[in-house]
Amino acid sequence: MSVQTKQTEKVISSIEKSFIKQVQKDKNLKSAFLLVHSEKKGIHLNIAEGEMNVNQPAYMASVGKIFTSVLISMLYENGQLSFEDRITKYLDQELVKQLHVYKGKDYTNEIKIKHLLNQTSGLYDNFRPLLEKLLNDPNFTMSPQETIIWAKTHQTPHFPPGKGFNYTDTNYHLLGLIIEKITGIPFHVAMNQYIYQPLGMMNSSVLHYSHPLDEDTQYLADFYINNNNLTNHKGYAGLDYAGGGVVSTGEDMLKFMKALTTYQLVKKETLEKMMNDKAKYGVGIEYGYGIMQFKTVPLLMPKLFNVWGHAGATGAYLFYHPKMDAYFIGTFNDFSYERKGVKFMLMKVINQLRKIK
């Protein structure tokens, strides 16, 4: 056995131990999975802990935004839309009527598809306030259209389109409706036709909207918020929709991310466009078209952590590390891990993986 192989085994073992310890020490966590893949480093690790196994699909929360963005970009490549198009071109008049009234001025007609993609539309977020309502009502149900109308009625925009950054699911609900308008099929069917089927993602679906292509796929792993099990609350589907309804396994997510990084889903120049038309999300994080990009900030964000992908509220993450040619996929299935999920990936996984030369 070469020294390198020993080192690799040591690092894999260390990552496994960190992951198991993280899940076992936190009473909030019922289950989690982690997949690390790097041909360059000679590693493929796929593990689960708690009440789930590696073949079980998990709800990937806002990681789904990267799928919605890729779908829009595929339609762009097909010549069916332009990122510069106004959203009023595609959406029902009644739905978008006075969608964006800021300080007495109606900016609705100025919102472009690109503003939705990189979260610069200035629109309000419909997800969090409606999630509160859902937690208090087991019979809560709303369609994506109804969530947008609710938000329009009860919330106010933050700034004119293109003049700031505000992360919101409302933007991605609108993108889902645009996809439906252009393709003439429901969002979850478009996901199947454009992404799941071509890539052979047999164990993937859209939460409470569709079933996996493989009928023998295991049931969805439970996910929680404040000890509330949300897994089977059907009303949750309309809140999430194109903002993050992807349900998938680690291996299926790897198929998707590999296809994206090797330009099988969209061309290189399209992916570059998706990444380069970006806004500042936070310290060391920029946001392109459904793509979070971690950038070097001295002392705060080391170069080692330069990855791109997306994270979700349940501690879900899907990231690619270009320098290591490594993929990091996982979730902790609990809303208390919204920030901790990515932190774990950076500190306990990427930090370890760099030891493999």
Side-chain angles (χ1 to χ4, degrees):
M1 189 186 285
S2 69
V3 176
Q4 188 185 4
T5 312
K6 272 186 179 167
Q7 180 63 19
T8 303
E9 284 193 356
K10 196 175 166 186
V11 167
I12 291 171
S13 172
S14 172
I15 292 171
E16 275 195 57
K17 279 178 187 158
S18 297
F19 173 72
I20 292 165
K21 185 179 170 188
Q22 188 77 29
V23 181
Q24 290 183 352
K25 76 175 183 187
D26 193 326
K27 63 181 190 321
N28 279 324
L29 299 181
K30 310 287 192 297
S31 65
F33 87 84
L34 167 68
L35 187 148
V36 184
H37 177 86
S38 172
E39 281 166 40
K40 190 176 177 181
K41 300 272 188 186
I43 177 173
H44 184 84
L45 172 68
N46 188 5
I47 51 173
E49 184 62 24
E51 300 165 5
M52 78 177 291
N53 61 66
V54 292
N55 298 315
Q56 208 172 347
Y59 160 64
M60 295 303 290
S62 282
V63 168
K65 287 186 173 70
I66 200 169
F67 284 74
T68 302
S69 163
V70 165
L71 259 178
I72 287 280
S73 300
M74 290 167 95
L75 297 177
Y76 157 78
E77 283 193 350
N78 292 344
Q80 290 171 278
L81 63 81
S82 161
F83 295 131
E84 298 290 334
D85 284 345
R86 296 169 194 269
I87 67 168
T88 46
K89 180 178 174 181
Y90 301 100
L91 296 167
D92 294 340
Q93 247 180 322
E94 202 48 49
L95 182 73
V96 295
K97 189 180 175 186
Q98 295 191 310
L99 184 69
H100 191 313
V101 179
Y102 179 72
K103 293 189 174 174
K105 185 179 174 190
D106 192 343
Y107 289 94
T108 307
N109 204 38
E110 291 180 29
I111 306 173
K112 296 178 177 180
I113 288 176
K114 66 177 185 181
H115 294 140
L116 301 180
L117 287 164
N118 64 12
Q119 307 279 17
T120 59
S121 72
L123 289 171
Y124 25 75
D125 181 45
N126 56 5
F127 180 74
R128 297 286 166 166
L130 289 174
L131 180 60
E132 287 299 314
K133 289 182 177 295
L134 177 139
L135 290 171
N136 295 321
D137 180 4
N139 300 312
F140 176 95
T141 180
M142 265 189 176
S143 69
Q145 288 91 335
E146 286 169 337
T147 69
I148 292 163
I149 291 164
W150 181 90
K152 180 169 70 170
T153 313
H154 293 89
Q155 297 175 288
T156 51
H158 297 268
F159 47 81
K163 301 294 182 197
F165 177 89
N166 183 53
Y167 181 90
T168 150
D169 275 34
T170 311
N171 288 330
Y172 274 72
H173 281 184
L174 291 164
L175 288 168
L177 295 173
I178 289 170
I179 289 165
E180 293 190 350
K181 184 76 172 176
I182 291 172
T183 60
I185 52 178
F187 175 74
H188 63 273
V189 178
M191 285 281 279
N192 265 354
Q193 285 188 17
Y194 287 79
I195 298 176
Y196 293 164
Q197 279 174 331
L199 297 183
M201 293 174 68
M202 302 303 289
N203 306 118
S204 301
S205 59
V206 176
L207 185 68
H208 299 317
Y209 278 102
S210 63
H211 297 285
L213 296 164
D214 179 354
E215 289 174 13
D216 295 325
T217 299
Q218 294 183 31
Y219 57 88
L220 168 65
D222 290 341
F223 65 97
Y224 297 82
I225 179 167
N226 305 332
N227 289 320
N228 291 293
N229 186 337
L230 287 174
T231 320
N232 298 312
H233 197 314
K234 296 286 189 285
Y236 190 87
L239 288 196
D240 221 18
Y241 180 55
V246 168
V247 168
S248 193
T249 60
E251 297 292 355
D252 268 8
M253 294 299 274
L254 180 61
K255 284 178 184 175
F256 170 79
M257 207 56 171
K258 272 185 164 181
L260 186 57
T261 59
T262 55
Y263 317 118
Q264 293 171 53
L265 287 165
V266 293
K267 295 176 190 145
K268 185 171 189 262
E269 52 266 37
T270 305
L271 184 60
E272 283 171 359
K273 198 181 195 68
M274 291 167 72
M275 293 179 79
N276 292 335
D277 188 4
K278 61 199 175 190
K280 187 179 176 183
Y281 189 151
V283 178
I285 307 176
E286 294 173 333
Y287 199 96
Y289 294 176
I291 298 173
M292 292 177 180
Q293 301 162 68
F294 289 28
K295 300 292 182 187
T296 307
V297 177
L299 305 176
L300 293 171
M301 187 73 82
K303 197 175 177 183
L304 172 67
F305 297 153
N306 287 3
V307 293
W308 62 266
H310 215 291
T314 49
Y317 51 89
L318 170 72
F319 282 91
Y320 175 64
H321 195 299
K323 197 155 186 236
M324 292 186 187
D325 189 25
Y327 301 84
F328 306 99
I329 305 161
T331 185
F332 288 96
N333 286 320
D334 196 282
F335 271 72
S336 64
Y337 268 67
E338 182 162 15
R339 295 189 185 281
K340 291 187 208 167
V342 168
K343 190 180 175 188
F344 173 84
M345 176 194 77
L346 297 174
M347 306 307 295
K348 303 290 187 186
V349 184
I350 294 177
N351 236 344
Q352 291 289 341
L353 202 62
R354 71 191 168 114
K355 294 174 185 172
I356 302 175
K357 296 291 181 245

